[in-house]
Amino acid sequence: MKQLFGTFGVRRVANQVLTPEFASKIAAAYGTKVKGTIAIGSDPRTSSEMIKHAVTAGLLSVGCNVVDLGTLPTPAVQYAVRQYYDGGIMVTASHNPPKYNGLKLLDKDGIGTPDDLEEEIEDIYFNDKQERVSWSQIGKAYKRNITDEYINEVINRVDSEKIKEAKLKVVIDCGSGAACDTTPYIVRKLGCEVTTLNCQPDGAFPGRNPEPTEDNLQDLIQVVKAVGADIGIAHDGDADRTICIDENGQFVFGDKSFALVEKSMLEKNNGGKIVTTVATSNAIRDIALENNGEIILTKVGDLVVARKLQEINGLFGGEENGGLIFPDFVYGRDSGLATAMLLEILATSGKPLSELIEELPTYYSEKMKIECADDKKTIVAEGILKETTDYEVDTTDGVKIIVDDGWVIIRPSGTEPIYRCFSEAKTPEEAKRLVEFGMDLIKKYLD
Ligand code: MG
């Protein structure tokens, strides 16, 4: 059982738990296992520079060389590692509030480190087994700017002429996070008229909270409407997620933009394997079926989706939170290419975003949660399984009960003492009925 690592690296309050000493020790443990040349990057948090120096010292002390890529999106670091390096560490707390920071550790393909490697790193960390090298073997540190290369790689992957012809008006809200030097420049190079909002890197995140929820994107919604933009684009703090706003100022849920890009990828490639999680909308399945695609469902989590895409040579994957994965580019959620693909879809279709969204299959969802002590979680899960023998059930992650044109998934949280229940159906009433059915099942085994 891992003690330090969560679903993607380590995340703690900066300088309280995540001190320079802590970061340096983890980096040295990681470097002991991975060796070679390690790329590092960060988001613009107030603590990022301090932690990056500590990470660098830890890596050098075990003989690794360190390439500092500066402030840039997590996917740009993932791209660089896959192309050139033996591993990578991104200093970021993703969408968490400003006081947090964290370390996303990458393997040589630029995917978040797997569980077995993280367990080995923890073993080295807790037992002080870092292999410090002699004075003459200490690594070397240097800087490299990969940002322009990343931007150009994104642009090369879309029909830039078509996008230029469309003369789109785009508002970009980087939330003062890691995409300030990438997304606005990608979009400008694609010939769009760009209005920026919160595109000065600032670790205090003065404009908005780094998580791109509808509540946090109210300024972007207003600006899209005020300037008459075709689309608004927003990212989270480390710019691996992409959320958009349509030309009417409507927030577009992540599963909708996922479905749009999926459709385009399948059409362009004449089908392919699409990977997503068991908690993603049936719209993704429907589009795959209509467009010669094959759908593969995994446990919840972007790293699981990325790994599956690599394993089966998949075409495209993602999650409902605006994380889109293009495995021939980056084995992780990418913001630059997601943005460019959305612009390409607008340009080639010639239709407004709201109309494209309306053409997608419609499903309604409901979410509920209930407190459940950690030691009761297994009893509840076993009870639910016994109750549902008459149904089609998928146990890839939690218990997913599948009915005609809908489902309900019941999952214990991995980090909190709660159970989550999430349903989807063709009508709002049916979605509500299914979520209540799921909640009743949990309650039955709670006491
Ligand atoms: Mg993120």
Side-chain angles (χ1 to χ4, degrees):
M1 185 76 187
K2 293 186 289 182
Q3 295 176 56
L4 297 175
F5 294 102
T7 48
F8 195 162
V10 176
R11 221 168 281 178
R12 299 286 191 279
V13 176
N15 230 10
Q16 188 178 314
V17 185
L18 183 49
T19 57
E21 293 83 351
F22 178 84
S24 172
K25 227 178 130 183
I26 289 189
Y30 167 84
T32 297
K33 282 307 299 179
V34 177
K35 299 195 164 51
T37 301
I38 311 299
I40 58 171
S42 69
D43 68 15
R45 285 169 195 269
T46 54
S47 55
S48 286
E49 201 63 19
M50 173 188 80
I51 293 167
K52 207 158 73 174
H53 280 89
V55 164
T56 304
L59 290 169
L60 296 175
S61 76
V62 294
C64 291
N65 295 317
V66 178
V67 185
D68 180 1
L69 303 175
T71 302
L72 73 176
T74 296
V77 178
Q78 292 178 284
Y79 162 80
V81 169
R82 181 168 166 183
Q83 296 295 321
Y84 306 111
Y85 305 115
D86 302 300
I89 298 182
M90 176 72 182
V91 178
T92 179
S94 190
H95 61 272
N96 291 122
K99 68 177 180 182
Y100 289 90
N101 214 327
L103 304 173
K104 286 185 170 181
L105 306 183
L106 306 173
D107 71 7
K108 64 175 178 21
D109 297 315
I111 310 184
T113 41
D115 288 340
D116 53 346
L117 179 54
E118 290 183 347
E119 277 165 20
E120 288 178 80
I121 293 168
E122 288 200 1
D123 175 51
I124 296 170
Y125 175 92
F126 286 113
N127 297 297
D128 281 325
K129 293 199 274 190
Q130 293 87 345
E131 292 169 10
R132 310 281 185 191
V133 296
S134 73
W135 66 271
S136 59
Q137 304 297 315
I138 291 168
K140 294 191 169 41
Y142 54 100
K143 288 185 194 295
R144 177 173 177 186
N145 188 334
I146 201 90
T147 305
D148 288 343
E149 181 178 324
Y150 170 79
I151 289 172
N152 290 331
E153 286 289 332
V154 167
I155 288 169
N156 288 341
R157 285 174 159 78
V158 290
D159 188 343
S160 51
E161 290 313 312
K162 198 98 203 175
I163 301 172
K164 282 176 190 161
E165 280 167 26
K167 299 200 185 317
L168 298 167
K169 257 183 157 178
V170 185
V171 185
I172 298 162
D173 178 354
C174 291
S176 300
C180 293
D181 286 335
T182 53
T183 299
Y185 297 90
I186 290 168
V187 178
R188 195 170 294 153
K189 274 196 157 186
L190 288 169
C192 301
E193 186 184 326
V194 176
T195 305
T196 56
L197 188 65
N198 305 317
C199 285
Q200 298 84 11
D202 189 331
F205 298 105
R208 67 163 167 91
N209 178 296
E211 183 158 25
T213 59
E214 186 168 2
D215 274 355
N216 292 336
L217 298 182
Q218 288 305 310
D219 288 350
L220 174 62
I221 286 168
Q222 293 309 321
V223 176
V224 165
K225 288 198 274 194
V227 305
D230 296 294
I231 186 171
I233 298 280
H235 301 306
D236 68 328
D238 67 328
D240 55 355
R241 283 163 56 189
T242 306
I243 284 291
C244 52
I245 305 296
D246 78 12
E247 77 287 356
N248 302 316
Q250 283 295 317
F251 181 88
V252 178
F253 284 94
D255 55 354
K256 299 283 184 191
S257 41
F258 180 11
L260 268 188
V261 177
E262 178 200 13
K263 193 164 173 242
S264 165
M265 289 291 286
L266 286 169
E267 283 169 0
K268 273 205 235 179
N269 294 278
N270 230 332
K273 290 175 184 162
I274 305 294
V275 180
T276 188
T277 79
V278 282
T280 302
S281 172
N282 272 351
I284 301 300
R285 177 205 61 183
D286 296 351
I287 286 168
L289 291 175
E290 282 163 22
N291 295 279
N292 201 21
E294 185 189 335
I295 193 104
I296 294 106
L297 300 178
T298 68
K299 275 180 188 282
V300 172
D302 54 319
L303 295 193
V304 192
V305 175
R307 281 195 188 286
K308 183 56 88 175
L309 281 164
Q310 184 191 38
E311 183 193 317
I312 64 166
N313 196 18
L315 174 70
F316 174 64
E319 300 173 299
E320 78 295 344
N321 63 3
L324 306 184
I325 306 176
F326 304 89
D328 83 316
F329 181 42
V330 170
Y331 284 125
R333 305 183 293 198
D334 181 67
S335 54
L337 190 50
T339 300
M341 282 291 298
L342 286 162
L343 299 179
E344 187 186 72
I345 291 165
L346 282 180
T348 46
S349 71
K351 293 177 185 174
L353 183 55
S354 63
E355 199 179 320
L356 291 168
I357 300 290
E358 222 158 83
E359 291 170 1
L360 296 169
T362 307
Y363 286 93
Y364 297 88
S365 59
E366 281 286 344
K367 269 181 191 173
M368 289 178 99
K369 60 183 176 184
I370 187 165
E371 279 182 32
C372 173
D374 286 336
D375 57 0
K376 280 213 162 157
K377 283 175 176 172
T378 314
I379 301 165
V380 171
E382 286 167 359
I384 293 169
L385 268 180
K386 261 185 248 150
E387 292 282 325
T388 51
T389 46
D390 291 345
Y391 291 90
E392 185 187 343
V393 167
D394 180 335
T395 55
T396 304
D397 197 344
V399 182
K400 182 178 182 180
I401 303 157
I402 299 158
V403 297
D404 285 343
D405 278 334
W407 47 261
V408 56
I409 186 165
I410 304 162
R411 295 174 56 234
S413 162
T415 50
E416 295 168 84
I418 55 172
Y419 248 93
R420 294 182 200 282
C421 190
F422 181 27
S423 74
E424 186 187 79
K426 278 281 183 194
T427 64
E429 297 76 26
E430 179 64 2
K432 190 152 181 285
R433 192 193 68 78
L434 282 170
V435 86
E436 282 167 357
F437 168 65
M439 289 295 282
D440 285 345
L441 283 175
I442 305 171
K443 284 178 198 157
K444 192 167 172 187
Y445 289 91
L446 263 186
D447 2 79

